[in-house]
Amino acid sequence: MTTLTHIIPSLVASVTGSLVQDGHADAAGEVGHAAEQVSHAVSQGITPPVDGPLWIALIPLLPILGVVLTTLCAIFKVKSKLPAFLTVGCLAASFGLTVAMYQHLSGMGPGSTVVVTAFEWFDLSWGAGEGQRFQADFAFYVDTLTCLWMLFVTGLGTLIALYASEYMAQDVGKGYSRFFMAFNLFVFSMACLVMGENLLVLFLGWEGVGLCSYLLIGYFYKKPAAVEAAKKAFIVNRIGDLGLLLGIFLTFVKFGTVSYPELWPLVEPYIQMVKSGHAGDVPLTVSLIPILLMVGAFGKSAQLPLYVWLPDAMEGPTPVSALIHAATMVTAGVYLIARMYPMFLVSEYALPIVGWIGALTALLAATIGMAQFDIKRIMAYSTVSQLGYMFCGLAVLSSTGAAFHVFTHAFFKATLFLCCGAVMHGFAGQLDLRKLSGVAFMKGWGIVGIAMLVGCLNLAGFPFTAGFFSKDMILAESFVTAGPGYGAIGWILLITAGLTAYYTFRVFFRVFVGPKAFEPGDELHEDHGDDGHGDESRPEAGATKFHPHAPGLAVNLVLGILALASIVAAGAYFVDKEDHGWVGRLVHESSANYTGSAAFLEHGDGAHRLEAGATGDGEAGAVEHGEAGAAGHGAAAAHGSFLGMDPHKAMYYVSSVVGLIGIGAAFYLHYLGRTTAARSKADDLLPALGPIPRWAQHKWYVDEFYNAVIVVPLRVLAHVFHAIDRLLVDGVVNLAGVLPRFVGSRIRPWQNGVMHGYAVGMVGGLALLIAAVVLLSM
Amino acid sequence: MIERIGYLWPEIVLFIGACLTMVIGLSPNADMRKQTGLIAGVSLLIAAALGLATPAAPTWAILPGIMPFAKPLIALVGLLLLLVNIGSVDRDEEAAIAAGKPFNPLRVTGAEFYAFFLFSLMGAMLCATAGDLIWLFLALELTSLPTYVMVVLSGRGKKGFDRSQEAGVKYFFLGALGAGIFLYGFALLYGGTGTTQFVEIAQHFAAHGMNPIATVGLVLALVGVSFKIAAVPMHFYTADVYQGSSGGVAAFLAFVPKTAGMISILLLVSTVGWAAGQGSLPPAIESLLWALAVLTMTVGNVLALLQSSLKRMLAYSSIAHSGYMLVGVIAGPGDGSFVSSGIAAVLFYLLCYGVMSTGVFAVLASLERKSGGEAVEVESLDDIKGLCRSHPWLGWSMVICMLSLLGFPPILGFFGKVPLFTSALGAGHVVLVVILALNSAIAAFYYLRVVAGVMIDPESDSGVRDTGVPARVIAAVISGVLVLGLSVFGNVFMGSGEKAAEVRRFVGQSDEHDTDSVPLDEHSEAAEDEHHAVSH
């Protein structure tokens, strides 16, 4: 209670404070400096692409080969793990080629882009005029941003396929081939999405990943919840896709092309317009494009108000949750905005909307995550929340931070999901954190425990982990960049960071440490037949006879690699230091390189590098002081400030402290305060918060709200329309159907089979035609 | 004349093949007789290869690029048609001979059938080679005459032979009437222009404009040739003849005479339209074609709605597709690019239509039904209900080809129709495009009825079974696969279609007709007699 009463007023205060501060900054109108940066970025950031080697096209083609091979496995009813190994092989080869592609690109010098045209896809024209020709090649656009994304898509795809080979073992001979078919198809679609040279190829991939997501969420199609979740994901994504599609249409209508390299120069004049303070001169049709694209991004990346599908998507097999719904597909929205970054600078409102939606999503999802008991769902909400961070990163002109967070998040979230999956697998589908305890200390679960710890530390932003650096970059920039309410965004993110640390370690302390205890779930493999541990899988055996089966080699290997990768990912921050890390270099050399260029968002001095030096204690005190009375700060520096300090310097310590506070709270409540496996001190505190925990547990009733506001009215409307359809439209349609039939029945007698009748018809028709022509020529 | 031999190698090969089949097909040795189909197939393959290598742009041709596209197209679809037709004649007779009946050369018809098959294809190819009216007339008749016989032969020895005979006779007489009409038209064209050479006719029109005799001649010629493509009002025979023929021959009739007719129409129209430098057709010819197109597609689709017999339905659908293609003829060559050229659209559509309609007929030809102890061809939609379950390969081929005929995106028929739309839009024929779209919507009704029928499970077993000729099933599956394959890789053929659709334009020089014809380049204007300007 006390915490919340303190946080809320300070939040309000900081929002108002930062708004005042922004107003001041806008009034100052210091655009000159930023304008220089824009022109610099525009002229430097985009290099005309050169044709690339055709083998690059193999990167998406190899997964297609996987699709074909696994389909053949399904046709020939292969009853072994062959589909999994074929998949791992294809994806590993694809990963190898991706590395080669990165090497190739690196060898071409900074800022190079490569276009590989596989074939001409669409070429339509309906006149010779401007904008009357639609062209889209099936081509791939490779720059460093593409490489970054493809590296972790194919890399994680390979690892998770390996994990899935063991995880899905009980379905060998049943859905195994189908699973890996969809898995391959997903990687292909994701590759199209990321590597596409134009928005149409991106859209193909976009819909492809949506389809695969649908297929894989509904993988257990006999389970009603899975089917429901699949449908929900599909339908909610359609809403977003409508936005994306409209955005693509509008892009074509306005610019006459959907190809990236052709778009950039066409967009530039509008950016210049915004930069020179004439944002009002940008036509609405242009400034609407980023808003529409954004809707697509929000759908795919599960942001407000379209996030509701992602938590339900956890009905799919865990490897799918890890790959699609945590590491790769859900970052497609981030990719879209990063790729189309120039387009997002033509509207003053686009990036601030992205930022606010991201921040609110991050906070909302974190609060829901705190109150859930299903560990996979907690991870799902944390994904939604972290995606919010990434969008904020984009909005605060830190596309580097966003991309870096995507990168680190891909690894540690995959680790976390796969750990949860291992637990779920081993404990017969048990995911309730009240019914599991001390898992890490059980025999054979050590690697899972360690990997989980690594993942949790990253997610919680524990100092010197990869997640810490990437999150910091976004946090600091949100205080540096001036924009509508950006200071408040920073505060929201900071609070969310604390909440994140709390709910993450709540899972860890409840499930992985503490007294050893468990209750198995209800999936006792009775419907899976004998899969090697049939003796323990009698449904009536109950908890007493159930033995959890520890993960095997493939799972442990993959978890080990991923945990290691999560740790090593931090190293990317220290390479290429002048560009804010390796990821920063990749982002700077791509179309997302507009950092510090939006004139309406002042970005300050651009001194991004954090300098270590000052001690942490004093800063931490300042934070606590600040939370108590943030309204007091008003010393607006030339660029954004964090309580009067340079955010770059301060954020290291502040976010460390916030993270540690969250972890500490979890430690106190759920480790020290643990009474039984099912109860901890936190449960005693809950009544003090009134109905809030219950509301949070019920996800703030958002689903119910959508149901009442959207689904029910739509149902009613559907019934109304149905009635209209029956009475009115069917009548018209029947009439329209009757007309051709009537005409037909009138002319049918002529088709009477009598030959001279036909001859008369032919000659008569000819006579009429000649008469008509003669009349017309006269 | 002799230099034209260089363009005739595919036809020569087919001729040799036809002669060989005629001789070998009468051999008393059953194994020798069986080789006829193989010989026909091999000669078609060679003809296709030679057709591809046909040299382009001869000076006597009015559509210089059409041969390297049309000839391989005819030969390759012919190969598919051959697969559908294998074993359609002489099955009972050969079975009886194998059982010990003495061989009687008067009773086997395989020799004639395959020879006529090749002759007809050869005629269609000769249409593409035509440079003058007489050649075109002979080629068209060479295409048609064998088909009259094939219709009758295909029904021989089967139940319903009387219907085949009736169909054959009807087809012959009405075909003769049609031939009479276009021959009269050709004669008037000669009378009006003083030459039978297309290029010279075009030059004459460019120089002196249209005259009434030539106009009427052209109208008669176009309407007469419409018989071959089964366009209204020359369409009456279609349903009866298709119904009276075996599935394989019906497939042949749906493609070969239509292709020959479409090519002839393109050649004839080339003499007055864009060739005369106007860029569009003279109003009289344009309104004639407009009326033909609208009537043809509307009547075809409307009557197809009412049919219960699948073959009759397909006959009317074939009429409707001719109407679609006429839209491309009206649109003309545009700026020469694939999407703006109606000619390229027509040529590409012929390819699409050939593959998808052959597929549908192949499925029908592959199936038979027991009726009163005798095997008869499937007739109604009820017969093929649940085909996807009982004969998956045939069923799915049917679904794919039907959806393609409907123009369902993203299957081949859709990509065939899109250039028709774009070219007509580019030429400013908005009303025509709307009518085309409405007709496609009407067509959806009867195509989807078949698709749904094939896909749903039947309540009872319809008793339909395979005819036991694997070649037909193979043809159906190949067609289905081709429809899917060309949906993805069709752009290769779009490119060659674009090349094939290259036209010659002749710039008028007489002042009274020169007002709205813009000289295409200075050189051709300067040269009084040599006014060839090949446009792109």
Side-chain angles (χ1 to χ4, degrees):
Chain A
M1 194 71 190
T2 45
T3 359
L4 274 174
T5 46
H6 276 273
I7 288 169
I8 292 168
S10 63
L11 182 68
V12 173
S14 78
V15 171
T16 42
S18 47
L19 284 176
V20 169
Q21 179 197 336
D22 299 332
H24 173 72
D26 284 348
E30 272 184 41
V31 290
H33 182 54
E36 271 170 39
Q37 288 185 339
V38 179
S39 48
H40 177 73
V42 170
S43 56
Q44 295 283 308
I46 297 156
T47 333
V50 291
D51 285 344
L54 204 58
W55 56 260
I56 285 176
L58 278 178
I59 296 171
L61 277 182
L62 279 165
I64 275 288
L65 178 71
V67 172
V68 173
L69 292 175
T70 46
T71 308
L72 287 177
C73 287
I75 290 172
F76 294 109
K77 298 195 169 54
V78 170
K79 297 236 183 309
S80 67
K81 285 189 177 180
L82 183 65
F85 298 129
L86 290 172
T87 306
V88 172
C90 288
L91 297 186
S94 195
F95 175 66
L97 284 174
T98 309
V99 173
M101 172 173 86
Y102 173 65
Q103 296 290 350
H104 179 81
L105 199 69
S106 306
M108 291 174 59
S112 325
T113 51
V114 164
V115 168
V116 181
T117 308
F119 55 88
E120 189 183 80
W121 195 16
F122 277 93
D123 187 357
L124 299 173
S125 71
W126 43 96
E130 183 83 4
Q132 287 185 306
R133 185 183 180 93
F134 177 76
Q135 258 184 309
D137 289 342
F138 204 91
F140 304 112
Y141 180 85
V142 181
D143 66 0
T144 41
L145 190 70
T146 315
C147 287
L148 172 68
W149 242 269
M150 281 315 291
L151 279 171
F152 71 78
V153 167
T154 52
L156 281 175
T158 313
L159 287 175
I160 294 174
L162 184 62
Y163 175 98
S165 70
E166 182 184 319
Y167 188 88
M168 301 304 294
Q170 49 200 310
D171 277 19
V172 167
K174 285 180 287 187
Y176 207 64
S177 303
R178 177 163 60 91
F179 177 86
F180 283 101
M181 196 277 280
F183 200 96
N184 277 309
L185 192 61
F186 168 77
V187 178
F188 164 74
S189 308
M190 195 68 202
C192 283
L193 197 164
V194 174
M195 294 175 67
E197 183 259 357
N198 52 57
L199 285 169
L200 206 66
V201 180
L202 176 131
F203 187 72
L204 174 83
W206 193 274
E207 291 304 310
V209 292
L211 169 72
C212 296
S213 161
Y214 168 80
L215 291 175
L216 288 168
I217 296 170
Y219 175 76
F220 298 116
Y221 58 87
K222 287 183 181 157
K223 203 167 138 196
V227 176
E228 283 299 315
K231 281 195 285 191
K232 190 172 178 182
F234 201 70
I235 292 167
V236 174
N237 264 302
R238 291 288 79 64
I239 300 170
D241 292 353
L242 179 68
L244 174 65
L245 203 52
L246 290 175
I248 296 174
F249 288 162
L250 203 55
T251 307
F252 173 70
V253 167
K254 207 60 210 170
F255 296 105
T257 178
V258 289
S259 151
Y260 302 136
E262 289 173 28
L263 267 177
W264 306 146
L266 297 173
V267 176
E268 198 187 321
Y270 295 108
I271 303 176
Q272 298 292 342
M273 245 182 240
V274 176
K275 180 194 74 182
S276 55
H278 298 94
D281 296 346
V282 178
L284 184 67
T285 42
V286 174
S287 52
L288 205 57
I289 294 172
I291 313 280
L292 289 169
L293 295 178
M294 192 193 299
V295 175
F298 289 161
K300 192 62 79 195
S301 291
Q303 296 297 291
L304 272 174
L306 301 175
Y307 73 94
V308 288
W309 65 272
L310 184 59
D312 288 7
M314 298 303 133
E315 292 294 340
T318 307
V320 171
S321 310
L323 179 68
I324 301 185
H325 303 120
T328 55
M329 183 187 87
V330 287
T331 66
V334 182
Y335 174 80
L336 175 70
I337 296 183
R339 172 56 78 210
M340 297 295 286
Y341 216 56
M343 195 64 96
F344 279 78
L345 301 178
V346 303
S347 162
E348 301 172 275
Y349 304 110
L351 285 180
I353 294 175
V354 170
W356 271 100
I357 293 280
L360 292 177
T361 310
L363 181 66
L364 182 88
T367 54
I368 297 175
M370 287 168 71
Q372 300 299 307
F373 294 106
D374 179 325
I375 54 176
K376 251 181 102 175
R377 281 193 185 244
I378 295 173
M379 291 308 151
Y381 280 107
S382 110
T383 306
V384 175
S385 175
Q386 298 302 307
L387 286 165
Y389 272 94
M390 298 166 200
F391 279 100
C392 287
L394 292 167
V396 300
L397 298 181
S398 175
S399 45
T400 300
F404 192 29
H405 202 50
V406 167
F407 183 71
T408 58
H409 177 259
F411 287 106
F412 67 72
K413 189 53 72 64
T415 314
L416 287 168
F417 264 112
L418 295 182
C419 289
C420 292
V423 170
M424 180 184 179
H425 196 60
F427 292 87
Q430 184 57 270
L431 284 169
D432 192 326
L433 56 76
R434 290 167 297 191
K435 293 176 180 165
L436 293 165
S437 183
V439 171
F441 303 126
M442 293 179 196
K443 192 166 173 287
W445 289 87
I447 292 176
V448 177
I450 294 165
M452 186 74 187
L453 180 62
V454 171
C456 286
L457 288 173
N458 270 291
L459 179 54
F462 191 79
F464 307 114
T465 57
F468 168 76
F469 290 120
S470 57
K471 197 184 280 182
D472 260 16
M473 217 183 262
I474 297 171
L475 283 173
E477 291 299 327
S478 35
F479 287 102
V480 170
T481 308
Y486 275 18
I489 288 179
W491 281 106
I492 292 174
L493 294 184
L494 201 55
I495 292 163
T496 308
L499 302 182
T500 308
Y502 168 76
Y503 70 69
T504 311
F505 273 88
R506 172 169 170 257
V507 172
F508 184 77
F509 289 129
R510 291 290 285 255
V511 176
F512 288 86
V513 292
K516 282 193 237 178
F518 63 87
E519 257 177 64
D522 45 13
E523 287 173 21
L524 287 168
H525 304 313
E526 70 272 17
D527 57 344
H528 295 307
D530 188 280
D531 59 358
H533 44 271
D535 54 330
E536 64 204 29
S537 49
R538 298 279 76 82
E540 70 275 13
T544 47
K545 280 191 178 174
F546 176 83
H547 300 295
H549 67 111
L553 179 67
V555 168
N556 278 332
L557 178 70
V558 170
L559 285 178
I561 295 173
L562 279 177
L564 209 61
S566 308
I567 298 168
V568 173
Y573 184 70
F574 297 100
V575 200
D576 294 320
K577 200 61 184 142
E578 67 279 8
D579 275 322
H580 316 108
W582 175 69
V583 175
R585 182 170 68 75
L586 297 189
V587 170
H588 283 191
E589 292 175 8
S590 74
S591 70
N593 174 23
Y594 275 71
T595 313
S597 61
F600 57 94
L601 302 170
E602 284 179 52
H603 188 261
D605 59 6
H608 295 257
R609 264 162 286 163
L610 299 176
E611 288 127 66
T615 53
D617 294 323
E619 306 286 347
V623 175
E624 273 150 20
H625 170 71
E627 281 179 355
H633 90 87
H639 65 281
S641 76
F642 180 75
L643 306 177
M645 291 169 290
D646 181 357
H648 291 305
K649 289 179 189 154
M651 201 47 66
Y652 266 147
Y653 312 109
V654 176
S655 76
S656 306
V657 170
V658 169
L660 288 173
I661 290 172
I663 297 172
F667 182 74
Y668 176 69
L669 291 173
H670 294 287
Y671 187 74
L672 295 180
R674 190 74 168 272
T675 44
T676 63
R679 281 193 73 79
S680 73
K681 215 175 254 175
D683 298 308
D684 305 327
L685 288 176
L686 289 182
L689 292 171
I692 292 171
R694 200 176 68 241
W695 292 349
Q697 193 192 339
H698 288 99
K699 311 159 205 165
W700 302 112
Y701 299 97
V702 171
D703 278 335
E704 286 78 2
F705 174 75
Y706 283 177
N707 206 30
V709 174
I710 299 169
V711 179
V712 170
L714 276 179
R715 282 243 165 88
V716 172
L717 207 60
H719 282 290
V720 173
F721 281 161
H722 182 62
I724 294 174
D725 194 51
R726 288 284 289 280
L727 297 173
L728 199 70
V729 181
D730 273 12
V732 175
V733 168
N734 284 340
L735 202 66
V738 163
L739 191 69
R741 279 170 175 274
F742 176 76
V743 174
S745 63
R746 290 298 101 189
I747 54 180
R748 198 179 191 179
W750 300 352
Q751 296 288 149
N752 52 9
V754 181
M755 195 176 72
H756 41 264
Y758 289 178
V760 170
M762 284 163 64
V763 176
L766 173 66
L768 281 175
L769 284 170
I770 291 180
V773 168
V774 168
L775 281 175
L776 274 169
S777 356
M778 266 159 48
Chain B
M1 209 58 187
I2 192 72
E3 84 276 12
R4 288 214 197 166
I5 296 286
Y7 301 101
L8 288 175
W9 288 115
E11 287 92 330
I12 291 170
V13 168
L14 288 189
F15 180 75
I16 295 171
C19 294
L20 275 176
T21 51
M22 234 186 310
V23 175
I24 288 175
L26 289 174
S27 161
N29 184 338
D31 287 333
M32 285 288 272
R33 283 202 301 279
K34 277 189 190 140
Q35 304 308 315
T36 45
L38 185 69
I39 291 168
V42 170
S43 49
L44 280 171
L45 265 181
I46 298 172
L50 289 173
L52 266 180
T54 312
T59 49
W60 46 265
I62 193 142
L63 288 175
I66 200 167
M67 282 185 281
F69 183 84
K71 289 186 181 180
L73 166 70
I74 292 165
L76 290 176
V77 179
L79 209 56
L80 209 55
L81 289 165
L82 182 70
L83 284 175
V84 188
N85 275 296
I86 276 180
S88 68
V89 289
D90 285 352
R91 274 185 84 192
D92 299 341
E93 184 67 19
E94 290 288 355
I97 292 170
K101 192 181 169 195
F103 169 72
N104 179 356
L106 291 178
R107 294 200 56 85
V108 290
T109 50
E112 289 105 305
F113 185 81
Y114 289 114
F116 284 145
F117 184 93
L118 293 181
F119 277 135
S120 182
L121 289 170
M122 179 181 142
M125 284 187 187
L126 282 170
C127 286
T129 325
D132 62 287
L133 292 168
I134 297 168
W135 183 304
L136 182 65
F137 173 75
L138 291 174
L140 275 171
E141 284 313 283
L142 184 58
T143 314
S144 289
L145 284 170
T147 58
Y148 306 146
V149 185
M150 285 163 69
V151 169
V152 181
L153 286 183
S154 74
R156 199 155 164 265
K158 289 183 199 143
K159 203 179 169 203
F161 182 43
D162 48 347
R163 207 163 62 178
S164 298
Q165 282 175 310
E166 188 192 327
V169 171
K170 253 185 214 170
Y171 192 28
F172 171 67
F173 277 109
L174 296 174
L177 178 61
I181 293 171
F182 68 76
L183 185 57
Y184 189 26
F186 287 1
L188 287 177
L189 259 179
Y190 174 64
T193 58
T195 173
T196 60
Q197 300 286 322
F198 291 136
V199 172
E200 287 171 18
I201 294 175
Q203 285 166 350
H204 185 275
F205 284 146
H208 308 294
M210 299 290 288
N211 59 54
I213 292 184
T215 307
V216 172
L218 201 60
V219 171
L220 284 171
L222 288 174
V223 175
V225 174
S226 293
F227 181 86
K228 308 294 180 207
I229 65 167
V232 176
M234 314 300 275
H235 68 286
F236 288 99
Y237 71 93
T238 323
D240 291 3
V241 172
Y242 282 27
Q243 201 179 11
S245 323
S246 72
V249 171
F252 191 87
L253 295 182
F255 175 73
V256 180
K258 193 183 296 263
T259 306
M262 260 351 273
I263 291 171
S264 310
I265 287 178
L266 287 176
L267 293 175
L268 288 169
V269 172
S270 294
T271 59
V272 292
W274 41 92
Q278 316 283 345
S280 66
L281 298 167
I285 301 301
E286 188 176 290
S287 40
L288 169 77
L289 288 172
W290 207 93
L292 280 181
V294 170
L295 281 173
T296 304
M297 54 189 161
T298 311
V299 168
N301 279 322
V302 162
L303 283 176
L305 276 182
L306 301 173
Q307 304 306 319
S308 56
S309 156
L310 283 170
K311 267 195 213 155
R312 288 187 81 88
M313 188 206 91
L314 287 170
Y316 287 113
S317 121
S318 124
I319 295 173
H321 283 274
S322 291
Y324 300 158
M325 284 187 255
L326 284 173
V327 172
V329 178
I330 297 169
D335 64 6
S337 70
F338 181 77
V339 281
S340 75
S341 167
I343 301 177
V346 170
L347 292 174
F348 184 65
Y349 203 82
L350 281 172
L351 165 71
C352 303
Y353 182 72
V355 174
M356 58 207 188
S357 99
T358 306
V360 171
F361 280 111
V363 172
L364 294 186
S366 308
L367 296 167
E368 62 186 11
R369 184 171 52 91
K370 275 270 186 268
S371 162
E374 254 188 295
V376 293
E377 293 207 315
V378 290
E379 184 68 37
S380 71
L381 180 56
D382 285 337
D383 292 341
I384 57 166
K385 274 222 168 100
L387 202 61
C388 284
R389 180 61 61 92
S390 59
H391 298 85
W393 289 102
L394 290 175
W396 286 107
S397 300
M398 188 75 159
V399 168
I400 292 165
C401 292
M402 276 289 172
L403 288 177
S404 180
L405 281 171
L406 156 63
F408 193 84
I411 308 181
L412 184 59
F414 170 74
F415 293 109
K417 237 177 225 171
V418 166
L420 290 175
F421 277 88
T422 53
S423 60
L425 274 181
H429 295 285
V430 179
V431 179
L432 201 55
V433 168
V434 171
I435 294 172
L436 177 56
L438 282 176
N439 266 290
S440 303
I442 297 176
F445 184 80
Y446 59 87
Y447 289 130
L448 287 179
R449 200 168 52 183
V450 176
V451 171
V454 169
M455 289 181 80
I456 56 168
D457 286 340
E459 301 88 53
S460 60
D461 184 23
S462 54
V464 161
R465 57 191 174 81
D466 203 312
T467 50
V469 183
R472 296 178 190 170
V473 183
I474 292 170
V477 174
I478 290 178
S479 307
V481 171
L482 269 181
V483 166
L484 290 183
L486 289 176
S487 313
V488 181
F489 302 109
N491 46 2
V492 180
F493 296 92
M494 290 180 183
S496 46
E498 185 181 314
K499 271 194 221 114
E502 181 190 325
V503 293
R504 285 166 185 278
R505 291 176 204 261
F506 301 90
V507 180
Q509 74 245 56
S510 69
D511 289 338
E512 63 269 31
H513 297 291
D514 211 5
T515 45
D516 54 351
S517 70
V518 183
L520 285 170
D521 65 12
E522 312 235 293
H523 175 72
S524 63
E525 198 185 26
E528 292 270 321
D529 296 316
E530 291 290 322
H531 23 234
H532 302 194
V534 179
S535 86
H536 297 282

